[in-house]
Short mmCIF file of all heavy atoms in Angstrom, two decimals:
data_model
loop_
_atom_site.label_atom_id
_atom_site.label_comp_id
_atom_site.label_asym_id
_atom_site.label_seq_id
_atom_site.Cartn_x
_atom_site.Cartn_y
_atom_site.Cartn_z
N MET N 1 0.86 -1.12 0.06
CA MET N 1 0.00 -0.01 0.00
C MET N 1 0.91 1.24 0.01
O MET N 1 1.77 1.33 0.83
CB MET N 1 -0.86 -0.04 1.22
CG MET N 1 -2.02 0.99 1.15
SD MET N 1 -3.19 0.94 2.61
CE MET N 1 -3.84 -0.66 2.48
N PRO N 2 0.66 2.23 -0.87
CA PRO N 2 1.53 3.37 -0.99
C PRO N 2 1.41 4.35 0.19
O PRO N 2 0.33 4.49 0.76
CB PRO N 2 1.10 4.03 -2.30
CG PRO N 2 0.09 3.12 -2.91
CD PRO N 2 -0.29 2.07 -2.01
N GLN N 3 2.43 4.98 0.45
CA GLN N 3 2.43 6.06 1.53
C GLN N 3 2.40 7.43 0.77
O GLN N 3 3.09 7.64 -0.22
CB GLN N 3 3.75 6.03 2.27
CG GLN N 3 3.80 7.07 3.42
CD GLN N 3 5.12 6.93 4.19
OE1 GLN N 3 6.03 6.30 3.83
NE2 GLN N 3 5.12 7.66 5.33
N PHE N 4 1.60 8.32 1.35
CA PHE N 4 1.45 9.62 0.75
C PHE N 4 1.80 10.70 1.72
O PHE N 4 1.70 10.56 2.95
CB PHE N 4 -0.03 9.81 0.29
CG PHE N 4 -0.49 8.91 -0.81
CD1 PHE N 4 -0.97 7.60 -0.59
CD2 PHE N 4 -0.33 9.33 -2.11
CE1 PHE N 4 -1.33 6.80 -1.60
CE2 PHE N 4 -0.72 8.52 -3.17
CZ PHE N 4 -1.17 7.23 -2.91
N VAL N 5 2.22 11.89 1.10
CA VAL N 5 2.56 13.06 1.96
C VAL N 5 1.91 14.31 1.40
O VAL N 5 1.55 14.30 0.11
CB VAL N 5 4.09 13.31 2.09
CG1 VAL N 5 4.76 12.19 2.77
CG2 VAL N 5 4.71 13.49 0.68
N LEU N 6 1.68 15.31 2.17
CA LEU N 6 1.12 16.53 1.74
C LEU N 6 2.30 17.64 1.77
O LEU N 6 2.97 17.65 2.87
CB LEU N 6 -0.02 17.02 2.61
CG LEU N 6 -0.70 18.24 2.26
CD1 LEU N 6 -1.44 18.15 1.01
CD2 LEU N 6 -1.63 18.73 3.38
N ASN N 7 2.40 18.39 0.77
CA ASN N 7 3.29 19.56 0.81
C ASN N 7 2.71 20.66 1.70
O ASN N 7 1.67 21.15 1.38
CB ASN N 7 3.62 20.11 -0.64
CG ASN N 7 4.70 21.12 -0.67
OD1 ASN N 7 5.09 21.61 0.36
ND2 ASN N 7 5.20 21.32 -1.79
N GLN N 8 3.41 21.00 2.76
CA GLN N 8 2.84 22.08 3.66
C GLN N 8 2.93 23.45 3.02
O GLN N 8 2.27 24.38 3.41
CB GLN N 8 3.57 22.06 5.01
CG GLN N 8 4.91 22.61 5.07
CD GLN N 8 5.48 22.63 6.42
OE1 GLN N 8 4.96 22.11 7.34
NE2 GLN N 8 6.66 23.29 6.55
N ASN N 9 3.73 23.63 1.96
CA ASN N 9 3.77 24.83 1.21
C ASN N 9 2.81 24.84 0.10
O ASN N 9 2.88 23.87 -0.73
CB ASN N 9 5.19 25.07 0.73
CG ASN N 9 6.20 25.26 1.87
OD1 ASN N 9 5.86 25.77 2.92
ND2 ASN N 9 7.45 24.70 1.66
N ALA N 10 2.04 25.88 -0.10
CA ALA N 10 1.06 25.89 -1.24
C ALA N 10 1.82 26.33 -2.40
O ALA N 10 2.88 26.96 -2.50
CB ALA N 10 0.00 26.99 -0.87
N GLN N 11 1.27 25.79 -3.53
CA GLN N 11 1.74 26.17 -4.87
C GLN N 11 1.27 27.53 -5.24
O GLN N 11 0.61 28.17 -4.44
CB GLN N 11 1.15 25.18 -5.96
CG GLN N 11 1.44 23.71 -5.74
CD GLN N 11 2.94 23.43 -5.72
OE1 GLN N 11 3.63 23.78 -6.63
NE2 GLN N 11 3.40 22.81 -4.62
N ALA N 12 1.82 28.10 -6.32
CA ALA N 12 1.47 29.45 -6.69
C ALA N 12 -0.07 29.65 -6.84
O ALA N 12 -0.54 30.80 -6.57
CB ALA N 12 2.20 29.83 -7.98
N ASN N 13 -0.81 28.63 -7.16
CA ASN N 13 -2.26 28.73 -7.25
C ASN N 13 -3.00 28.53 -6.01
O ASN N 13 -4.20 28.50 -5.95
CB ASN N 13 -2.81 27.84 -8.40
CG ASN N 13 -2.63 26.34 -8.02
OD1 ASN N 13 -2.15 26.03 -6.92
ND2 ASN N 13 -3.09 25.50 -8.90
N GLY N 14 -2.27 28.27 -4.93
CA GLY N 14 -2.87 28.05 -3.60
C GLY N 14 -3.11 26.60 -3.17
O GLY N 14 -3.48 26.31 -2.08
N ASP N 15 -2.88 25.68 -4.11
CA ASP N 15 -3.07 24.21 -3.79
C ASP N 15 -1.97 23.68 -2.94
O ASP N 15 -0.80 24.00 -3.22
CB ASP N 15 -3.12 23.47 -5.13
CG ASP N 15 -4.40 23.60 -5.90
OD1 ASP N 15 -5.28 24.35 -5.41
OD2 ASP N 15 -4.49 23.07 -7.03
N HIS N 16 -2.27 22.83 -2.00
CA HIS N 16 -1.31 22.02 -1.33
C HIS N 16 -1.35 20.70 -1.97
O HIS N 16 -2.51 20.08 -2.08
CB HIS N 16 -1.73 21.89 0.18
CG HIS N 16 -1.51 23.17 0.89
ND1 HIS N 16 -0.36 23.49 1.63
CD2 HIS N 16 -2.35 24.28 1.04
CE1 HIS N 16 -0.49 24.69 2.12
NE2 HIS N 16 -1.67 25.15 1.81
N GLU N 17 -0.25 20.18 -2.50
CA GLU N 17 -0.27 18.91 -3.34
C GLU N 17 0.04 17.68 -2.55
O GLU N 17 0.95 17.68 -1.69
CB GLU N 17 0.74 19.09 -4.40
CG GLU N 17 0.26 20.06 -5.50
CD GLU N 17 1.15 20.02 -6.81
OE1 GLU N 17 2.35 19.69 -6.71
OE2 GLU N 17 0.58 20.32 -7.82
N VAL N 18 -0.66 16.59 -2.80
CA VAL N 18 -0.50 15.29 -2.30
C VAL N 18 0.51 14.59 -3.22
O VAL N 18 0.34 14.63 -4.41
CB VAL N 18 -1.85 14.50 -2.16
CG1 VAL N 18 -1.55 13.04 -1.79
CG2 VAL N 18 -2.74 15.14 -1.14
N HIS N 19 1.51 13.97 -2.63
CA HIS N 19 2.57 13.19 -3.42
C HIS N 19 2.58 11.79 -2.88
O HIS N 19 2.34 11.49 -1.74
CB HIS N 19 3.85 13.86 -3.25
CG HIS N 19 4.05 15.20 -3.83
ND1 HIS N 19 4.46 15.40 -5.17
CD2 HIS N 19 3.78 16.42 -3.29
CE1 HIS N 19 4.45 16.65 -5.46
NE2 HIS N 19 4.06 17.32 -4.26
N ASN N 20 2.88 10.87 -3.82
CA ASN N 20 3.10 9.49 -3.56
C ASN N 20 4.55 9.20 -3.15
O ASN N 20 5.49 9.26 -3.93
CB ASN N 20 2.73 8.61 -4.76
CG ASN N 20 2.84 7.12 -4.51
OD1 ASN N 20 3.57 6.64 -3.74
ND2 ASN N 20 1.94 6.40 -5.18
N LYS N 21 4.81 9.01 -1.92
CA LYS N 21 6.18 8.88 -1.33
C LYS N 21 6.73 7.51 -1.81
O LYS N 21 7.89 7.34 -1.90
CB LYS N 21 6.15 9.05 0.12
CG LYS N 21 7.55 9.13 0.72
CD LYS N 21 7.46 9.53 2.17
CE LYS N 21 8.83 9.65 2.70
NZ LYS N 21 8.93 10.18 4.13
N THR N 22 5.86 6.54 -1.96
CA THR N 22 6.32 5.16 -2.22
C THR N 22 6.93 5.09 -3.63
O THR N 22 7.99 4.59 -3.79
CB THR N 22 5.20 4.12 -2.03
OG1 THR N 22 4.72 4.17 -0.73
CG2 THR N 22 5.62 2.71 -2.41
N THR N 23 6.25 5.67 -4.53
CA THR N 23 6.81 5.57 -5.97
C THR N 23 7.79 6.65 -6.27
O THR N 23 8.60 6.58 -7.15
CB THR N 23 5.65 5.73 -7.04
OG1 THR N 23 4.97 6.95 -6.88
CG2 THR N 23 4.73 4.65 -6.93
N GLY N 24 7.74 7.69 -5.52
CA GLY N 24 8.64 8.82 -5.63
C GLY N 24 8.07 9.80 -6.65
O GLY N 24 7.19 9.52 -7.38
N CYS N 25 8.67 10.91 -6.70
CA CYS N 25 8.26 12.05 -7.60
C CYS N 25 9.44 13.03 -7.70
O CYS N 25 10.02 13.43 -6.71
CB CYS N 25 7.02 12.67 -7.06
SG CYS N 25 6.32 14.00 -8.06
N SER N 26 9.58 13.47 -8.97
CA SER N 26 10.65 14.48 -9.23
C SER N 26 10.27 15.86 -8.62
O SER N 26 11.12 16.71 -8.50
CB SER N 26 10.96 14.53 -10.69
OG SER N 26 9.81 14.87 -11.41
N TYR N 27 8.99 16.00 -8.22
CA TYR N 27 8.51 17.26 -7.60
C TYR N 27 8.20 17.06 -6.11
O TYR N 27 7.45 17.90 -5.61
CB TYR N 27 7.29 17.75 -8.42
CG TYR N 27 7.67 18.16 -9.83
CD1 TYR N 27 7.62 17.26 -10.90
CD2 TYR N 27 8.23 19.48 -10.02
CE1 TYR N 27 7.99 17.68 -12.11
CE2 TYR N 27 8.57 19.82 -11.33
CZ TYR N 27 8.49 18.93 -12.38
OH TYR N 27 8.90 19.28 -13.61
N MET N 28 8.71 16.00 -5.44
CA MET N 28 8.50 15.84 -4.03
C MET N 28 8.99 16.96 -3.31
O MET N 28 10.15 17.47 -3.53
CB MET N 28 9.29 14.49 -3.70
CG MET N 28 9.04 14.04 -2.30
SD MET N 28 7.30 13.23 -2.17
CE MET N 28 7.55 11.75 -3.05
N PRO N 29 8.26 17.44 -2.32
CA PRO N 29 8.69 18.56 -1.47
C PRO N 29 9.92 18.13 -0.62
O PRO N 29 10.06 16.89 -0.36
CB PRO N 29 7.48 18.92 -0.59
CG PRO N 29 6.61 17.74 -0.64
CD PRO N 29 6.85 17.04 -2.01
N ASN N 30 10.67 19.01 -0.16
CA ASN N 30 11.77 18.74 0.78
C ASN N 30 11.26 18.06 2.00
O ASN N 30 10.06 18.26 2.41
CB ASN N 30 12.54 19.99 1.23
CG ASN N 30 13.27 20.63 0.09
OD1 ASN N 30 13.75 19.97 -0.80
ND2 ASN N 30 13.44 21.98 0.17
N THR N 31 11.97 17.18 2.58
CA THR N 31 11.51 16.42 3.77
C THR N 31 10.91 17.31 4.90
O THR N 31 9.91 16.94 5.47
CB THR N 31 12.66 15.56 4.26
OG1 THR N 31 13.18 14.79 3.23
CG2 THR N 31 12.25 14.63 5.46
N VAL N 32 11.44 18.39 5.15
CA VAL N 32 10.99 19.35 6.18
C VAL N 32 9.58 19.86 5.82
O VAL N 32 8.86 20.31 6.69
CB VAL N 32 11.92 20.45 6.51
CG1 VAL N 32 13.26 19.89 7.05
CG2 VAL N 32 12.13 21.36 5.39
N ASN N 33 9.19 19.86 4.56
CA ASN N 33 7.91 20.37 4.14
C ASN N 33 6.84 19.25 3.87
O ASN N 33 5.75 19.62 3.39
CB ASN N 33 8.04 21.19 2.87
CG ASN N 33 8.93 22.38 3.08
OD1 ASN N 33 8.97 23.04 4.13
ND2 ASN N 33 9.79 22.70 2.16
N GLN N 34 7.18 18.00 4.21
CA GLN N 34 6.23 16.85 3.99
C GLN N 34 5.50 16.62 5.34
O GLN N 34 6.03 16.57 6.44
CB GLN N 34 7.02 15.72 3.58
CG GLN N 34 7.78 15.64 2.38
CD GLN N 34 8.57 14.45 2.06
OE1 GLN N 34 8.37 13.44 2.65
NE2 GLN N 34 9.40 14.57 1.04
N ILE N 35 4.15 16.54 5.07
CA ILE N 35 3.28 16.14 6.19
C ILE N 35 2.78 14.73 5.80
O ILE N 35 2.19 14.49 4.81
CB ILE N 35 2.06 17.06 6.32
CG1 ILE N 35 2.54 18.51 6.62
CG2 ILE N 35 1.14 16.59 7.34
CD1 ILE N 35 1.47 19.62 6.60
N ASP N 36 3.06 13.78 6.78
CA ASP N 36 2.70 12.39 6.45
C ASP N 36 1.16 12.22 6.55
O ASP N 36 0.46 12.59 7.37
CB ASP N 36 3.34 11.45 7.51
CG ASP N 36 3.07 10.07 7.25
OD1 ASP N 36 3.08 9.65 6.05
OD2 ASP N 36 2.74 9.36 8.25
N LEU N 37 0.65 11.65 5.46
CA LEU N 37 -0.81 11.35 5.37
C LEU N 37 -1.04 9.86 5.57
O LEU N 37 -2.18 9.38 5.59
CB LEU N 37 -1.40 11.73 4.01
CG LEU N 37 -1.38 13.20 3.69
CD1 LEU N 37 -1.71 13.39 2.23
CD2 LEU N 37 -2.32 13.89 4.58
N GLY N 38 0.01 9.06 5.82
CA GLY N 38 -0.12 7.61 5.96
C GLY N 38 -0.24 6.84 4.73
O GLY N 38 0.05 7.33 3.61
N TYR N 39 -0.66 5.62 4.88
CA TYR N 39 -0.83 4.64 3.77
C TYR N 39 -2.22 4.53 3.28
O TYR N 39 -3.13 4.51 4.08
CB TYR N 39 -0.29 3.29 4.25
CG TYR N 39 1.15 3.21 4.53
CD1 TYR N 39 1.65 3.59 5.83
CD2 TYR N 39 2.14 2.95 3.58
CE1 TYR N 39 2.97 3.60 6.17
CE2 TYR N 39 3.39 2.91 3.81
CZ TYR N 39 3.90 3.25 5.14
OH TYR N 39 5.25 3.30 5.40
N HIS N 40 -2.40 4.55 1.99
CA HIS N 40 -3.77 4.49 1.42
C HIS N 40 -3.73 3.63 0.12
O HIS N 40 -2.70 3.53 -0.47
CB HIS N 40 -4.29 5.92 1.00
CG HIS N 40 -4.34 6.92 2.15
ND1 HIS N 40 -5.47 6.94 3.00
CD2 HIS N 40 -3.43 7.75 2.75
CE1 HIS N 40 -5.29 7.78 3.97
NE2 HIS N 40 -4.04 8.34 3.80
N ASN N 41 -4.86 3.14 -0.20
CA ASN N 41 -5.02 2.29 -1.44
C ASN N 41 -4.56 3.06 -2.67
O ASN N 41 -4.02 2.53 -3.61
CB ASN N 41 -6.30 1.72 -1.54
CG ASN N 41 -6.59 0.55 -0.48
OD1 ASN N 41 -5.70 -0.07 -0.08
ND2 ASN N 41 -7.85 0.51 -0.05
N ASP N 42 -5.05 4.30 -2.68
CA ASP N 42 -4.73 5.17 -3.88
C ASP N 42 -4.70 6.64 -3.45
O ASP N 42 -4.96 6.96 -2.25
CB ASP N 42 -5.71 4.90 -4.98
CG ASP N 42 -7.18 5.07 -4.49
OD1 ASP N 42 -7.47 5.94 -3.64
OD2 ASP N 42 -8.04 4.35 -5.03
N CYS N 43 -4.48 7.45 -4.35
CA CYS N 43 -4.46 8.93 -4.09
C CYS N 43 -5.68 9.45 -3.66
O CYS N 43 -5.76 10.45 -2.93
CB CYS N 43 -3.85 9.70 -5.39
SG CYS N 43 -4.94 9.73 -6.80
N HIS N 44 -6.85 8.90 -4.05
CA HIS N 44 -8.12 9.44 -3.65
C HIS N 44 -8.32 9.32 -2.12
O HIS N 44 -8.89 10.28 -1.56
CB HIS N 44 -9.25 8.59 -4.34
CG HIS N 44 -9.21 8.77 -5.82
ND1 HIS N 44 -9.55 9.90 -6.48
CD2 HIS N 44 -8.83 7.84 -6.84
CE1 HIS N 44 -9.39 9.71 -7.79
NE2 HIS N 44 -8.99 8.52 -8.01
N GLY N 45 -7.91 8.27 -1.55
CA GLY N 45 -7.91 8.12 -0.12
C GLY N 45 -7.00 9.16 0.60
O GLY N 45 -7.41 9.74 1.64
N ALA N 46 -5.85 9.36 0.00
CA ALA N 46 -4.80 10.24 0.59
C ALA N 46 -5.41 11.86 0.56
O ALA N 46 -5.31 12.58 1.46
CB ALA N 46 -3.53 10.24 -0.09
N VAL N 47 -6.04 12.14 -0.59
CA VAL N 47 -6.57 13.42 -0.75
C VAL N 47 -7.72 13.61 0.14
O VAL N 47 -7.90 14.70 0.75
CB VAL N 47 -6.95 13.75 -2.30
CG1 VAL N 47 -7.87 14.89 -2.40
CG2 VAL N 47 -5.74 13.73 -3.17
N ALA N 48 -8.54 12.65 0.28
CA ALA N 48 -9.73 12.69 1.21
C ALA N 48 -9.19 12.86 2.70
O ALA N 48 -9.77 13.79 3.40
CB ALA N 48 -10.56 11.39 1.09
N GLU N 49 -8.18 12.18 3.06
CA GLU N 49 -7.61 12.34 4.41
C GLU N 49 -7.01 13.79 4.59
O GLU N 49 -7.31 14.39 5.59
CB GLU N 49 -6.47 11.28 4.62
CG GLU N 49 -5.71 11.58 5.90
CD GLU N 49 -6.45 11.20 7.16
OE1 GLU N 49 -7.56 10.68 7.10
OE2 GLU N 49 -5.94 11.60 8.27
N ALA N 50 -6.39 14.30 3.61
CA ALA N 50 -5.88 15.65 3.71
C ALA N 50 -6.91 16.63 3.86
O ALA N 50 -6.86 17.61 4.63
CB ALA N 50 -4.93 15.95 2.54
N LYS N 51 -8.04 16.45 3.10
CA LYS N 51 -9.07 17.49 3.10
C LYS N 51 -9.86 17.28 4.45
O LYS N 51 -10.37 18.33 4.95
CB LYS N 51 -10.13 17.12 2.01
CG LYS N 51 -9.65 17.59 0.62
CD LYS N 51 -10.58 17.36 -0.54
CE LYS N 51 -10.08 17.87 -1.81
NZ LYS N 51 -11.06 17.66 -2.95
N ARG N 52 -9.90 16.11 4.99
CA ARG N 52 -10.52 15.96 6.31
C ARG N 52 -9.75 16.64 7.35
O ARG N 52 -10.25 17.34 8.27
CB ARG N 52 -10.57 14.45 6.65
CG ARG N 52 -11.32 14.13 7.96
CD ARG N 52 -11.19 12.78 8.41
NE ARG N 52 -9.85 12.31 8.74
CZ ARG N 52 -9.26 12.67 9.86
NH1 ARG N 52 -9.81 13.40 10.73
NH2 ARG N 52 -8.00 12.23 10.13
N ARG N 53 -8.40 16.60 7.32
CA ARG N 53 -7.51 17.16 8.33
C ARG N 53 -7.32 18.72 8.16
O ARG N 53 -7.15 19.40 9.16
CB ARG N 53 -6.16 16.47 8.28
CG ARG N 53 -6.26 15.09 8.89
CD ARG N 53 -5.06 14.20 8.63
NE ARG N 53 -3.80 14.68 9.22
CZ ARG N 53 -2.69 14.09 9.02
NH1 ARG N 53 -2.53 12.94 8.35
NH2 ARG N 53 -1.57 14.57 9.62
N TRP N 54 -7.38 19.10 6.92
CA TRP N 54 -7.26 20.57 6.59
C TRP N 54 -8.40 21.09 5.70
O TRP N 54 -8.24 21.36 4.51
CB TRP N 54 -5.90 20.78 5.98
CG TRP N 54 -4.80 20.59 6.89
CD1 TRP N 54 -4.27 21.35 7.81
CD2 TRP N 54 -4.06 19.31 6.85
NE1 TRP N 54 -3.28 20.68 8.52
CE2 TRP N 54 -3.12 19.46 8.00
CE3 TRP N 54 -4.02 18.14 6.18
CZ2 TRP N 54 -2.13 18.44 8.26
CZ3 TRP N 54 -3.15 17.14 6.51
CH2 TRP N 54 -2.22 17.29 7.54
N PRO N 55 -9.58 21.19 6.26
CA PRO N 55 -10.78 21.51 5.48
C PRO N 55 -10.73 22.92 4.88
O PRO N 55 -11.47 23.12 3.88
CB PRO N 55 -11.99 21.36 6.44
CG PRO N 55 -11.36 21.54 7.77
CD PRO N 55 -9.96 20.98 7.67
N ASN N 56 -9.96 23.86 5.39
CA ASN N 56 -9.85 25.11 4.80
C ASN N 56 -8.68 25.37 3.76
O ASN N 56 -8.51 26.48 3.35
CB ASN N 56 -9.69 26.14 5.95
CG ASN N 56 -10.87 26.10 6.97
OD1 ASN N 56 -12.03 25.93 6.43
ND2 ASN N 56 -10.63 26.31 8.17
N HIS N 57 -8.05 24.27 3.45
CA HIS N 57 -6.99 24.31 2.46
C HIS N 57 -7.50 23.75 1.15
O HIS N 57 -8.31 22.89 1.07
CB HIS N 57 -5.82 23.43 2.89
CG HIS N 57 -4.93 24.09 4.03
ND1 HIS N 57 -5.42 24.41 5.24
CD2 HIS N 57 -3.64 24.54 4.01
CE1 HIS N 57 -4.43 24.87 6.01
NE2 HIS N 57 -3.40 25.03 5.23
N ARG N 58 -6.93 24.28 0.05
CA ARG N 58 -7.14 23.68 -1.24
C ARG N 58 -6.12 22.55 -1.39
O ARG N 58 -4.96 22.69 -1.34
CB ARG N 58 -6.88 24.72 -2.34
CG ARG N 58 -7.95 25.74 -2.32
CD ARG N 58 -7.71 26.78 -3.46
NE ARG N 58 -7.26 26.14 -4.75
CZ ARG N 58 -7.06 26.89 -5.92
NH1 ARG N 58 -7.33 28.09 -5.93
NH2 ARG N 58 -6.70 26.22 -6.97
N ILE N 59 -6.73 21.36 -1.55
CA ILE N 59 -5.85 20.10 -1.65
C ILE N 59 -6.06 19.52 -3.09
O ILE N 59 -7.12 19.46 -3.68
CB ILE N 59 -6.36 19.00 -0.69
CG1 ILE N 59 -6.39 19.65 0.78
CG2 ILE N 59 -5.42 17.79 -0.66
CD1 ILE N 59 -5.09 19.97 1.45
N ASN N 60 -4.90 19.09 -3.65
CA ASN N 60 -4.83 18.61 -5.03
C ASN N 60 -3.81 17.53 -5.19
O ASN N 60 -2.82 17.58 -4.42
CB ASN N 60 -4.55 19.77 -5.98
CG ASN N 60 -4.87 19.48 -7.41
OD1 ASN N 60 -5.50 18.50 -7.73
ND2 ASN N 60 -4.45 20.41 -8.26
N GLY N 61 -4.06 16.59 -6.01
CA GLY N 61 -3.05 15.62 -6.30
C GLY N 61 -1.92 16.12 -7.29
O GLY N 61 -2.26 16.88 -8.11
N CYS N 62 -0.72 15.73 -7.06
CA CYS N 62 0.34 16.10 -7.89
C CYS N 62 0.10 15.53 -9.33
O CYS N 62 -0.24 14.43 -9.54
CB CYS N 62 1.66 15.50 -7.37
SG CYS N 62 3.05 15.70 -8.47
N TYR N 63 0.36 16.48 -10.29
CA TYR N 63 0.11 16.08 -11.69
C TYR N 63 1.04 14.85 -12.14
O TYR N 63 0.64 14.03 -12.98
CB TYR N 63 0.44 17.29 -12.66
CG TYR N 63 0.37 16.93 -14.07
CD1 TYR N 63 -0.93 16.93 -14.77
CD2 TYR N 63 1.50 16.69 -14.77
CE1 TYR N 63 -0.91 16.61 -16.11
CE2 TYR N 63 1.44 16.45 -16.20
CZ TYR N 63 0.22 16.32 -16.87
OH TYR N 63 0.14 16.09 -18.09
N TYR N 64 2.20 14.78 -11.53
CA TYR N 64 3.18 13.82 -11.98
C TYR N 64 3.09 12.45 -11.27
O TYR N 64 3.28 11.43 -11.87
CB TYR N 64 4.61 14.43 -11.73
CG TYR N 64 4.80 15.60 -12.60
CD1 TYR N 64 4.60 16.86 -12.09
CD2 TYR N 64 5.03 15.53 -14.03
CE1 TYR N 64 4.70 18.04 -12.93
CE2 TYR N 64 5.15 16.61 -14.78
CZ TYR N 64 4.98 17.90 -14.20
OH TYR N 64 5.04 18.94 -15.05
N CYS N 65 2.80 12.46 -9.91
CA CYS N 65 2.73 11.13 -9.25
C CYS N 65 1.41 10.82 -8.72
O CYS N 65 1.14 9.64 -8.21
CB CYS N 65 3.78 11.17 -8.11
SG CYS N 65 3.42 12.37 -6.76
N CYS N 66 0.38 11.70 -8.79
CA CYS N 66 -0.99 11.41 -8.39
C CYS N 66 -1.90 11.99 -9.43
O CYS N 66 -2.95 12.60 -9.05
CB CYS N 66 -1.28 12.07 -7.01
SG CYS N 66 -0.31 11.37 -5.64
N ARG N 67 -1.71 11.72 -10.68
CA ARG N 67 -2.43 12.25 -11.76
C ARG N 67 -3.89 12.04 -11.75
O ARG N 67 -4.74 12.87 -12.08
CB ARG N 67 -1.94 11.84 -13.11
CG ARG N 67 -2.45 12.58 -14.26
CD ARG N 67 -1.82 12.31 -15.54
NE ARG N 67 -0.47 12.80 -15.49
CZ ARG N 67 0.35 12.91 -16.60
NH1 ARG N 67 -0.09 12.56 -17.77
NH2 ARG N 67 1.51 13.34 -16.52
N ALA N 68 -4.30 10.82 -11.23
CA ALA N 68 -5.77 10.55 -11.10
C ALA N 68 -6.44 11.53 -10.16
O ALA N 68 -7.67 11.64 -10.20
CB ALA N 68 -5.93 9.09 -10.60
N CYS N 69 -5.77 12.15 -9.25
CA CYS N 69 -6.33 13.11 -8.23
C CYS N 69 -5.94 14.53 -8.60
O CYS N 69 -6.30 15.42 -7.75
CB CYS N 69 -5.79 12.70 -6.87
SG CYS N 69 -6.36 11.04 -6.40
N HIS N 70 -5.37 14.80 -9.70
CA HIS N 70 -4.96 16.24 -10.08
C HIS N 70 -6.19 16.84 -10.69
O HIS N 70 -6.77 16.39 -11.77
CB HIS N 70 -3.74 16.13 -11.00
CG HIS N 70 -3.34 17.61 -11.50
ND1 HIS N 70 -2.65 18.33 -10.58
CD2 HIS N 70 -3.55 18.24 -12.56
CE1 HIS N 70 -2.42 19.53 -11.27
NE2 HIS N 70 -3.02 19.41 -12.43
N THR N 71 -6.58 17.95 -10.15
CA THR N 71 -7.82 18.63 -10.71
C THR N 71 -7.55 20.08 -11.15
O THR N 71 -8.32 20.62 -11.84
CB THR N 71 -8.95 18.68 -9.62
OG1 THR N 71 -8.37 19.34 -8.40
CG2 THR N 71 -9.40 17.31 -9.18
N SER N 72 -6.46 20.67 -10.67
CA SER N 72 -6.17 22.01 -11.18
C SER N 72 -4.65 22.26 -11.23
O SER N 72 -3.89 21.61 -10.68
CB SER N 72 -6.78 23.05 -10.20
OG SER N 72 -6.32 23.00 -8.92
#
């Protein structure tokens, strides 16, 4: 089961991106900026967890490692 992290720093458009730590990503945030979201079956579960924990943040999947969850 893959492990996911959230970038604590927002992108220019205001999104905080979810990344797949298990598969890796060339756009993975620095370790100090990663918030552990735990293990999920897929990016949809990780994005849902991030939205549950931070309801006032814009959460999005990374285009490169969580494309199925990338919406903007």
Side-chain angles (χ1 to χ4, degrees):
M1 190 176 298
Q3 182 181 13
F4 293 88
V5 297
L6 180 69
N7 187 346
Q8 74 177 9
N9 296 324
Q11 303 299 307
N13 67 358
D15 288 354
H16 291 265
E17 290 189 331
V18 171
H19 293 269
N20 186 327
K21 190 170 183 176
T22 301
T23 61
C25 179
S26 55
Y27 293 92
M28 188 75 67
N30 291 331
T31 304
V32 297
N33 297 322
Q34 294 178 14
I35 300 171
D36 182 42
L37 294 173
Y39 294 88
H40 299 273
N41 289 326
D42 55 34
C43 64
H44 299 288
V47 168
E49 173 67 13
K51 287 181 176 182
R52 183 189 67 75
R53 289 169 61 182
W54 295 279
N56 298 322
H57 285 65
R58 287 180 44 173
I59 309 293
N60 195 8
C62 171
Y63 176 81
Y64 299 97
C65 65
C66 294
R67 189 170 295 192
C69 296
H70 180 77
T71 57
S72 62

